[in-house]
Amino acid sequence: MQPYAKPNLDIAGREACHVESMGHSVAFSDASMERFRHLLTRYPNKQAALLPTLWMAQQEFGWISTEVIEYVSELLELPPSHVYGVVSFYTMYYRKPMGKYHIQLCTNLSCMLMGGSTVLDALQEKLGIGLGETTADGMFSLDEVECLAACEMAPCCQMNDEYHGPLTPESVGRFVDELRARGK
Amino acid sequence: MEIKRLTKNFGNPESWTLAAYEKTGGYQMVKKAFAMDPEAIIELVKQSGLRGRGGAGFPTGMKWGFVPKQSDKPKYLCVNADESEPGTFKDRYLLEHDPHALVEGIIISCWAVGIRYAYIYIRGEFGLPYYRIEAAVKEAYEKGYLGSNLNGKGFDLDVTVHRGAGAYICGEETGLIESLEGKKGQPRLKPPFPAVVGVFGCPTVVNNVETIQSIPWIIEHGAEEYRKAGTEKSPGTKLFSVSGHVKRPGVYEIPLGLPCKTLVHDLCGGIIDGKRQKANIVGGSSVPILTGEEADNVDLDYESLAAAGTMLGSGGMIVMDEDTCMVWALAVLLKFYAHESCGQCTPCREGTGWIRNLVYRLEAGDGKREDLDKLLSITGNMMGTTICVLADAAAMPTESFIKKFRAEFEAHVGAGRCPIRGKSAHFLAHAH
Ligand SMILES: Cc1cc2nc3c(=O)[nH]c(=O)nc-3n(C[C@H](O)[C@H](O)[C@H](O)COP(=O)(O)O)c2cc1C
Ligand code: SF4
Ligand code: FES
């Protein structure tokens, strides 16, 4: 993360995609297994069920660890390398533990036009973390996202699976306080 | 000024439920369509002149006509609900407010083309729209609108909602197909076109939510009535989602050919604080930018916008006022394209990163005069050289920004800072 990538640095900002380990093996609950079996009936082959299975896994286990990748690849009879490739391609599969409240602020054009960067500053200051980080108490994670298709409420953010906006530096502070109270 | 066809149920109490939808005549058009010959429906859609609302504007009836009539393999429909083009949020409104109209459109479209399975590929970020369309599909199954033997003569149809997981490129139709197959969403070379070899190697129609949602209206009112809104070559209504520096941002359904001025200054209430409109991106971030003056003199239909050097795209309009720095605005957009390139074509993977960095540098006041020519040279080499048009979608706006606002770019060179914003956009410090 540099002020602006100097052209002779790694220009596309590529990073190795790191997946963390949970340190224990995982398995779906009976209820999830039932849902998984139903899922398989909706597709002509197992591979096509990969994205929805990863969604289920993320819901149940919180994030996608090396163990989850192995488990999912066994369930769907896919090479772990294929599952790893897919997990790393999409931004919504978490490869490390995330905070209870995941705030993703849109930094695309309409949100930026409406003052998105002041909201971003306020959020970072309020939470005491930078982008891509999680608070020490595990309560909040902060990220930026591209256009959420909610530009009429710019500047806006996604908090877990809800959209919020238009935000101001003040309202976002109150929002964080409310979540903190709710989370305790 | 507004004509409510697809948006007519917006604002009705619980408009997303089956009960509310049926109260307004919902699912009646399925019955009417089942009484029609599938060929006649395709012909009707051709007559209506409906063009794809996902961005490319390809005639829908013609697309359906490319699908082989006889096929030993099942045929598929993929409804493109990935809606990720910056500035576009109309499909979200349709999914949230009227999901059953989409289901009804799917049933009719599949009947017309002889499709057995449909997937609604919805972007992963969508929470409420996802729950609403899931619930609608469930209700439709329970009521017997979906499943087997729907017309009493053996027509079966299964619909599945499939969530993406955060990748703009999965909106590109072959990227979507790859993603649906459980892979990275990397677009395929065409031909073969999806109509012949699509998802799971089978004939596939990919259509946008708004396109499919237009079908019940066309069945109900006919092609001639459909053409009463819009222009000769751009018939019908279109949903525009307007954002940026307008007083009333939102989704507006307007007849194609409406002056852009009417949309921006009347429907949307004009520019915030009575400022001047400096620039307007009329059709989503991937189309060339217009100056405010150009925008005030153009009509919103496919042909007029092409003549003005831009495109209708997805109808995601982003309006910018006089205080906006164009170098900064371009930097924000290029951050997006560099992030979303799927990486399989060199001109796109490298090019999007190079132009982003050059524009970051210019924005910060550290650029050189020759950077502008370098930028144009890179964009020239990005266009038409890649598997999909994401590279063009980054290159075209870049060229148009420089062409229309060159003086502003030059003013940044050597100034050591942004002459308009006074400082460099420090948020770019976090860009990845
Ligand atoms: C990079 C890229 C992104 C796209 N994103 C979307 C999208 O989010 N939604 C959409 O409907 N079409 C999108 N498209 C257009 C689709 O490829 C395709 O043309 C469209 O879904 C066809 O449907 P239509 O004929 O009904 O418009 C995108 C195209 C490209 C090149
Ligand atoms: S042009 Fe870019 S996004 Fe499209 S296939 Fe090539 S690398 Fe991927
Ligand atoms: S730009 Fe932020 S939601 Fe579209």
Side-chain angles (χ1 to χ4, degrees):
Chain A
M1 305 298 141
Q2 51 251 6
Y4 55 91
K6 297 206 177 73
N8 57 352
L9 294 178
D10 180 8
I11 45 171
R14 286 183 283 273
E15 294 164 33
C17 163
H18 179 72
V19 181
E20 286 187 23
S21 156
M22 280 172 179
H24 58 83
S25 60
V26 294
F28 276 150
S29 63
D30 290 348
S32 297
M33 218 45 203
E34 174 106 24
R35 274 182 63 207
F36 171 72
R37 274 192 287 269
H38 172 74
L39 205 62
L40 291 182
T41 66
R42 307 305 295 178
Y43 300 92
N45 62 40
K46 284 191 162 174
Q47 179 178 287
L50 178 53
L51 267 67
T53 306
L54 284 169
W55 273 118
M56 275 179 54
Q58 180 150 299
Q59 213 169 37
E60 181 144 348
F61 310 123
W63 53 286
I64 308 290
S65 67
T66 49
E67 295 87 353
V68 175
I69 289 179
E70 269 164 39
Y71 180 63
V72 168
S73 59
E74 269 167 40
L75 280 177
L76 294 172
E77 295 169 53
L78 294 167
S81 59
H82 178 88
V83 179
Y84 172 88
V86 166
V87 167
S88 64
F89 186 81
Y90 298 93
T91 55
M92 298 186 75
Y93 296 128
Y94 306 141
R95 304 182 300 261
K96 59 178 187 202
M98 299 297 285
K100 179 168 183 175
Y101 301 114
H102 186 199
I103 300 180
Q104 296 179 279
L105 190 76
C106 172
T107 56
N108 210 299
L109 188 52
S110 297
C111 287
M112 282 292 144
L113 288 170
M114 299 306 286
S117 50
T118 58
V119 175
L120 179 57
D121 288 344
L123 262 175
Q124 299 193 92
E125 197 179 307
K126 180 86 190 171
L127 296 171
I129 53 173
L131 289 167
E133 294 176 358
T134 299
T135 53
D137 60 0
M139 197 73 94
F140 295 97
S141 295
L142 181 64
D143 275 303
E144 65 172 328
V145 279
E146 296 301 344
C147 180
L148 288 167
C151 326
E152 85 281 18
M153 40 170 127
C156 67
C157 78
Q158 173 164 26
M159 196 287 293
N160 298 347
D161 67 0
E162 296 162 17
Y163 283 7
H164 295 270
L167 305 168
T168 63
E170 296 73 38
S171 77
V172 91
R174 288 196 299 274
F175 181 51
V176 167
D177 287 337
E178 276 165 32
L179 290 176
R180 212 169 250 146
R182 212 204 286 180
K184 278 202 178 122
Chain B
M1 287 180 286
E2 280 181 279
I3 297 184
K4 299 199 173 184
R5 292 179 175 178
L6 274 61
T7 53
K8 66 178 191 304
N9 294 332
F10 286 20
N12 291 352
E14 307 220 296
S15 62
W16 51 90
T17 59
L18 180 62
Y21 187 61
E22 283 183 328
K23 212 186 279 172
T24 55
Y27 289 106
Q28 291 306 314
M29 289 312 115
V30 169
K31 288 189 196 131
K32 186 168 174 188
F34 281 161
M36 291 168 75
D37 183 41
E39 275 301 306
I41 299 177
I42 298 184
E43 193 50 40
L44 182 69
V45 173
K46 278 187 188 160
Q47 295 297 327
S48 75
L50 172 66
R51 297 169 65 163
R53 302 298 195 223
F58 193 83
T60 305
M62 205 191 289
K63 185 185 266 188
W64 291 4
F66 292 152
V67 178
K69 297 279 162 293
Q70 301 302 330
S71 161
D72 358 329
K73 296 177 183 157
K75 299 179 214 171
Y76 287 86
L77 170 69
C78 295
V79 178
N80 194 338
D82 194 52
E83 189 160 69
S84 312
E85 171 81 356
T88 314
F89 47 93
K90 62 183 178 81
D91 296 339
R92 194 185 105 238
Y93 272 63
L94 290 170
L95 291 162
E96 282 181 9
H97 295 279
D98 211 3
H100 279 286
L102 179 60
V103 177
E104 182 165 18
I106 290 172
I107 301 168
I108 300 167
S109 308
C110 290
W111 166 244
V113 189
I115 287 171
R116 173 69 183 82
Y117 300 102
Y119 291 97
I120 301 167
Y121 188 103
I122 186 167
R123 69 176 289 183
E125 288 85 352
F126 278 169
L128 186 60
Y130 171 74
Y131 300 125
R132 291 256 165 100
I133 188 66
E134 267 273 283
V137 168
K138 189 157 173 276
E139 281 184 311
Y141 264 108
E142 283 162 4
K143 198 74 191 270
Y145 291 124
L146 295 175
S148 48
N149 196 19
L150 301 178
N151 61 347
K153 293 182 197 132
F155 172 61
D156 301 338
L157 174 63
D158 281 299
V159 177
T160 304
V161 185
H162 184 95
R163 271 181 97 179
Y168 168 64
I169 197 57
C170 295
E172 197 280 339
E173 55 185 7
T174 58
L176 183 152
I177 286 171
E178 286 282 304
S179 177
L180 185 55
E181 290 182 356
K183 302 184 228 159
K184 294 183 268 187
Q186 293 186 312
R188 296 176 180 171
L189 262 180
K190 290 183 270 192
F193 289 95
V196 186
V197 184
V199 73
F200 311 122
C202 301
T204 302
V205 169
V206 184
N207 271 136
N208 173 257
V209 170
E210 185 185 348
T211 312
I212 297 290
Q213 216 138 325
S214 307
I215 302 298
W217 200 94
I218 293 172
I219 297 286
E220 182 170 1
H221 301 275
E224 204 176 308
E225 193 65 23
Y226 187 77
R227 287 180 163 277
K228 283 193 182 149
T231 68
E232 171 65 27
K233 288 192 174 144
S234 300
T237 59
K238 171 87 187 87
L239 270 61
F240 275 82
S241 44
V242 190
S243 64
H245 294 138
V246 289
K247 284 187 190 141
R248 288 192 294 274
V251 172
Y252 297 88
E253 183 175 10
I254 57 165
L256 284 166
L258 189 83
C260 184
K261 205 172 173 174
T262 310
L263 178 58
V264 172
H265 299 285
D266 298 335
L267 289 172
C268 297
I271 312 300
I272 296 171
D273 293 338
K275 286 189 180 156
R276 189 174 62 82
Q277 176 182 215
K278 180 172 185 177
N280 186 323
I281 302 176
V282 294
S285 69
S286 302
V287 312
I289 193 167
L290 296 178
T291 64
E293 213 162 72
E294 287 169 330
D296 280 344
N297 288 301
V298 78
D299 293 341
L300 297 171
D301 58 81
Y302 293 97
E303 291 70 33
S304 306
L305 289 166
T310 184
M311 290 184 296
L312 187 114
S314 61
M317 182 177 285
I318 307 170
V319 177
M320 285 163 264
D321 73 12
E322 59 193 79
D323 298 332
T324 311
C325 168
M326 289 297 132
V327 183
W328 169 87
L330 180 60
V332 175
L333 289 180
L334 292 180
K335 168 176 79 73
F336 168 76
Y337 288 103
H339 182 250
E340 300 297 343
S341 168
C342 86
Q344 60 178 339
C345 317
T346 310
C348 173
R349 181 188 62 241
E350 304 302 319
T352 51
W354 290 349
I355 58 178
R356 177 200 58 185
N357 288 346
L358 278 167
V359 174
Y360 277 11
R361 191 164 82 174
L362 281 163
E363 195 276 337
D366 292 345
K368 303 195 184 75
R369 190 157 286 270
E370 56 267 30
D371 285 351
L372 288 179
D373 292 330
K374 205 183 281 176
L375 269 172
L376 293 175
S377 150
I378 298 171
T379 54
N381 283 303
M382 286 167 69
M383 287 192 284
T385 58
T386 52
I387 293 174
C388 86
V389 295
L390 185 134
D392 304 66
M396 280 187 312
T398 305
E399 290 194 350
S400 69
F401 268 77
I402 296 175
K403 194 166 131 208
K404 306 241 158 106
F405 301 100
R406 194 172 181 114
E408 220 166 283
F409 282 80
E410 284 170 348
H412 280 69
V413 174
R417 61 183 173 81
C418 170
I420 295 171
R421 295 161 51 87
K423 55 175 187 197
S424 171
H426 72 295
F427 80 91
L428 292 177
H430 314 290
H432 46 70

